[in-house]
Amino acid sequence: MTNNIEHIGIAVKDLEAAKSIYEKLLGTVCYKVEAVESEGVATAFLKSGVNKIELLEASILESPIAKFIDKRGEGIHHIAFEVDDIESEMARLAAEGFTILSDKPKKGADNKLVCFVHPKSVNGVLIELCQEIK
Ligand code: ZN
């Protein structure tokens, strides 16, 4: 079972510029900037109450974020739900017919194990499952 929405991922062209916009919007400062080499992204996190905003900028040309922005422009990229046991949740969703984009969870940003559910199986929205690494 999924828990809270952990964060909303937003694809941006310029991380520094977006960071200052969201800092003004939320009246807070970004608490973490982190590169995820395996995904070709640079991320910045801001807190909004119990939730977070993850800003994502492509760090390489073949980055999924670069492709996303090419196709759709900047905007909401994914919704991330917190789970307690990512492997069992991946198995449950696969059994329900959802397309999971990896066989195993990967190390994501912000100290999380993550996996993604293909937007085609979820009404056009890319879904991330994330589990805090303890
Ligand atoms: Zn995310």
Side-chain angles (χ1 to χ4, degrees):
M1 200 185 96
T2 60
N3 295 319
N4 298 326
I5 290 179
E6 213 277 338
H7 63 269
I8 294 177
I10 299 174
V12 304
K13 287 181 182 164
D14 180 336
L15 195 64
E16 277 307 308
K19 210 171 80 176
S20 78
I21 289 169
Y22 277 83
E23 285 179 335
K24 275 184 232 160
L25 177 77
L26 300 172
T28 184
V29 290
C30 165
Y31 69 92
K32 187 185 275 187
V33 174
E34 190 180 347
V36 185
E37 310 281 348
S38 60
E39 299 288 322
V41 297
T43 66
F45 285 88
L46 299 100
K47 289 199 168 110
S48 168
V50 297
N51 304 116
K52 296 166 189 162
I53 297 292
E54 175 185 33
L55 303 172
L56 302 134
E57 179 196 59
S59 55
I60 52 171
L61 234 54
E62 317 81 70
S63 166
I65 296 301
K67 286 181 196 149
F68 178 89
I69 289 177
D70 272 356
K71 253 202 217 163
R72 303 209 210 175
E74 292 185 298
I76 293 179
H77 177 260
H78 65 268
I79 297 177
F81 293 97
E82 193 173 48
V83 296
D84 297 324
D85 180 347
I86 195 166
E87 302 218 19
S88 77
E89 193 59 17
M90 286 168 78
R92 184 184 75 82
L93 293 180
E96 293 280 10
F98 292 96
T99 305
I100 314 290
L101 291 175
S102 59
D103 296 337
K104 293 249 153 223
K106 295 186 197 173
K107 173 90 174 59
D110 206 26
N111 195 42
K112 300 278 194 301
L113 286 174
V114 303
C115 77
F116 289 91
V117 182
H118 197 290
K120 276 195 182 128
S121 57
V122 206
N123 305 79
V125 180
L126 178 65
I127 300 295
E128 175 185 330
L129 303 180
C130 62
Q131 179 190 334
E132 181 101 35
I133 299 170
K134 287 178 183 136

